[in-house]
Amino acid sequence: MELARTRSLNAPSPIQQFGPCGRIMRNSAMIMTIQDPASQRLTWYKPPLSVLVIKKVRDAMVIPPFIELVSWLTLEKRMVVFVEASVLEEPLVTKHAKFPDVKDKLMSFNEKHDDLTDKIDFIICLGGDGTLLYASSLFQQSVPPVMAFHLGSLGFLTPFKFSNFQEQVTNVLEGHAALTLRSRLRCIIVRGGYDKPQPKKPKPDATTAPWLPDPGVKLPSNLLVLNEVVIDRGPSPYLSNLDLYLDGRRITSVQGDGLLVSTPTGSTAYAVAAGASMIHPSVPAIMVTPICPHSLSFRPIIVPAGVELKITVSKDSRNTAWISFDGRMRQELTHDDSLRVTTSIYPVPSICAEDQIADWFASLDDCLRWNDRKRQRHFDDGNTAADDANLMSDDANPPSADAKNPSDDANHQCDGANRLSDDGNLMSDDGNMSESSSASSSVPTTPTSAASGVCALYDAEAGPSGLCRVAEITESEGGDSDDDSCNDNHEAGPS
């Protein structure tokens, strides 16, 4: 079963001989080997001693878990804990009751000036997907293993729950964890039309992490991104006009709002919102997705991870373009500049809560509600025979609307007699008779309405003078009458 699951994601290595004569040229640089995802497990050749804890900013809910985690790491695990210098100055953190006990044991760093290369053995993120993207930006070469806890909004890249963090972190520190190697893109901006990239090892303060610099600060032109690099039209009202090259060959021209070049990890971010497919992070590929193209036939494409893409602003474009790397480090791309994008050799080793397959599909289900719809009702085959029998019995004995109950007939006859007696009373009233005939004994004797206090028979049985006839009816039955009280209720006439 494990072998079948592995082959469903990565096909077996092809043979190198084709028929009796054909075979592939033996050149190691041309052959890409895909590692079995089941074998991608974390191991330590020496115990990790330092850990970097990255906390989501501007969120009070993350403060208690952050204090609890750093206290446990420093006091129980005896590890050197690094945090951002800005975290130690947050009012919500400094006012916490347990923070003074661990403040002196924490190491701080500044992303603009400090280089964390070769200082961190392990990374723990508390927050959403943005914390993992930020951790990736801090390391522009090799990245330590990253363990991400879901304390943010979406949590597509954060599979761990914080409720039992002690047990989970201990398992990772002991080397019992699976890994997902999330590929990153190497993005190089070539300025002035010169086909010469920036130095491979720029100054640490320029590439430690992307940031939004002050005007006049030189931006790094060699960056690694985990999700995508976006080339758009910026504030210009005109369509962007970009030329796309693949390994030096011009592929197409992009007219629209822009272009997305993303990793498989970024396929479930901006790219899927722009209409691209979702790719498992273990698939070696680069996605090219247009942003609102002014063409009905421009569909997203997927190219091999080993190719190099070049994007330039067309010479006849009305405006320049703007580039952003994982949503940061926004800078302008002029007509003489070009952007080179290829897959980096430094992936982000993301620790799995279960394994690569289960974590990814769980994120699709929980975060994106993939293929989530109301289920279609199934046929009720078990009750079909009983339902048919009931229908047949109903057809044999159909309910007749003309059938009458004998008691109903009696009631109808009684009502008819009452109506006849009422007609006799009305006729006798019109003839100014002093007393009612014996046939009028069935007339209702209720003189007034309980709700309004007004005679209920005023409209139906008022005489020519507009006075109520209840008194006459009552006298005819041998009862007392109160003509004054009844007439008082009708002095104003009908309400």
Side-chain angles (χ1 to χ4, degrees):
M1 186 64 183
E2 185 70 22
L3 181 61
R5 186 189 67 81
T6 300
R7 287 183 177 177
S8 65
L9 180 63
N10 296 288
S13 299
I15 60 173
Q16 299 181 2
Q17 183 172 346
F18 316 107
C21 300
R23 64 183 59 194
I24 193 170
M25 181 182 297
R26 294 186 177 276
N27 187 349
S28 59
M30 299 176 59
I31 302 175
M32 178 178 294
T33 303
I34 302 175
Q35 186 179 4
D36 183 359
S39 64
Q40 295 178 3
R41 302 194 63 86
L42 177 64
T43 183
W44 307 97
Y45 69 90
K46 62 180 180 179
L49 300 177
S50 60
V51 56
L52 172 63
V53 179
I54 299 177
K55 178 189 70 67
K56 183 180 180 182
V57 298
R58 297 187 299 272
D59 193 349
M61 185 188 68
V62 187
I63 302 301
F66 171 75
I67 299 298
E68 186 178 2
L69 175 64
V70 296
S71 300
W72 181 74
L73 291 173
T74 54
L75 300 178
E76 297 292 335
K77 293 299 181 179
R78 303 294 181 182
M79 299 185 70
V80 180
V81 179
F82 285 81
V83 297
E84 298 177 81
S86 59
V87 172
L88 301 179
E89 299 175 358
E90 291 186 16
L92 295 177
V93 175
T94 56
K95 294 179 181 179
H96 197 277
K98 297 182 180 180
F99 181 71
D101 299 335
V102 296
K103 181 178 180 180
D104 296 335
K105 300 180 177 62
L106 300 178
M107 301 291 292
S108 63
F109 76 96
N110 190 307
E111 61 171 319
K112 295 182 180 181
H113 305 97
D114 298 330
D115 185 9
L116 296 178
T117 305
D118 299 331
K119 292 182 180 179
I120 304 299
D121 300 327
F122 182 40
I123 301 175
I124 297 180
C125 296
L126 301 177
D129 296 344
T131 58
L132 184 59
L133 295 176
Y134 178 68
S136 171
S137 67
L138 294 176
F139 298 87
Q140 291 298 297
Q141 292 184 1
S142 178
V143 184
V146 183
M147 185 178 187
F149 287 91
H150 176 42
L151 292 174
S153 301
L154 185 61
F156 194 91
L157 305 178
T158 55
F160 289 94
K161 307 298 180 183
F162 193 79
S163 56
N164 58 336
F165 76 93
Q166 296 94 339
E167 178 183 355
Q168 297 181 95
V169 174
T170 301
N171 289 335
V172 173
L173 294 178
E174 293 176 355
H176 307 302
L179 287 177
T180 297
L181 299 182
R182 301 184 180 274
S183 62
R184 293 192 292 177
L185 296 177
R186 167 68 70 182
C187 303
I188 302 175
I189 300 178
V190 181
R191 297 292 184 184
Y194 295 99
D195 194 11
K196 182 180 179 181
Q198 296 293 324
K200 294 183 179 180
K201 294 183 179 180
K203 296 180 180 180
D205 60 346
T207 59
T208 300
W211 73 93
L212 295 177
D214 297 330
V217 176
K218 185 178 180 180
L219 299 173
S221 58
N222 192 337
L223 290 170
L224 298 184
V225 298
L226 178 59
N227 267 355
E228 74 275 314
V229 53
V230 181
I231 308 98
D232 57 55
R233 63 181 184 177
S236 173
Y238 304 109
L239 291 176
S240 63
N241 198 338
L242 306 173
D243 291 332
L244 175 62
Y245 296 83
L246 182 65
D247 281 342
R249 175 178 297 180
R250 184 181 180 277
I251 300 300
T252 188
S253 178
V254 182
Q255 295 188 80
D257 282 353
L259 192 67
L260 287 170
V261 181
S262 58
T263 65
T265 297
S267 67
T268 51
Y270 197 169
V272 73
S277 298
M278 295 181 292
I279 305 179
H280 191 277
S282 295
V283 178
I286 299 176
M287 299 188 64
V288 180
T289 307
I291 305 174
C292 298
H294 203 260
S295 172
L296 297 178
S297 59
F298 196 168
R299 307 300 302 168
I301 60 174
I302 302 174
V303 297
V307 302
E308 182 186 67
L309 297 173
K310 184 177 76 169
I311 299 99
T312 61
V313 179
S314 300
K315 295 185 181 300
D316 56 351
S317 177
R318 294 183 176 182
N319 59 299
T320 60
W322 288 80
I323 312 174
S324 60
F325 307 92
D326 278 344
R328 308 178 67 185
M329 291 300 301
R330 191 167 178 82
Q331 49 189 299
E332 189 175 12
L333 188 70
T334 65
H335 289 75
D336 295 331
D337 301 335
S338 64
L339 173 67
R340 308 293 181 92
V341 181
T342 188
T343 302
S344 173
I345 62 173
Y346 299 108
V348 175
S350 179
I351 300 176
C352 303
E354 187 174 349
D355 57 54
Q356 292 182 346
I357 304 300
D359 285 7
W360 192 66
F361 280 100
S363 297
L364 290 182
D365 186 30
D366 296 339
C367 301
L368 299 183
R369 300 297 180 186
W370 177 65
N371 198 27
D372 188 6
R373 69 177 296 273
K374 187 177 181 181
R375 300 287 296 178
Q376 185 181 29
R377 185 179 65 84
H378 66 282
F379 291 114
D380 193 1
D381 296 335
N383 298 327
T384 302
D387 294 340
D388 293 342
N390 293 332
L391 292 175
M392 292 177 63
S393 62
D394 293 340
D395 294 338
N397 300 310
S400 177
D402 297 334
K404 296 182 179 180
N405 194 327
S407 62
D408 294 338
D409 292 339
N411 293 333
H412 289 319
Q413 293 178 5
C414 182
D415 293 338
N418 291 336
R419 286 195 295 271
L420 289 174
S421 63
D422 292 341
D423 293 340
N425 290 333
L426 292 174
M427 292 174 64
S428 63
D429 290 338
D430 294 338
N432 295 325
M433 298 176 63
S434 60
E435 61 183 23
S436 302
S437 62
S438 59
S440 63
S441 60
S442 62
V443 177
T445 60
T446 304
T448 59
S449 173
S452 62
V454 180
C455 180
L457 302 180
Y458 176 83
D459 294 331
E461 302 188 19
S465 61
L467 299 179
C468 181
R469 307 300 300 169
V470 177
E472 296 181 5
I473 298 173
T474 306
E475 286 182 353
S476 66
E477 295 178 354
D480 296 333
S481 65
D482 191 357
D483 294 341
D484 295 336
S485 61
C486 189
N487 290 336
D488 291 339
N489 290 332
H490 302 306
E491 284 180 356
S495 57

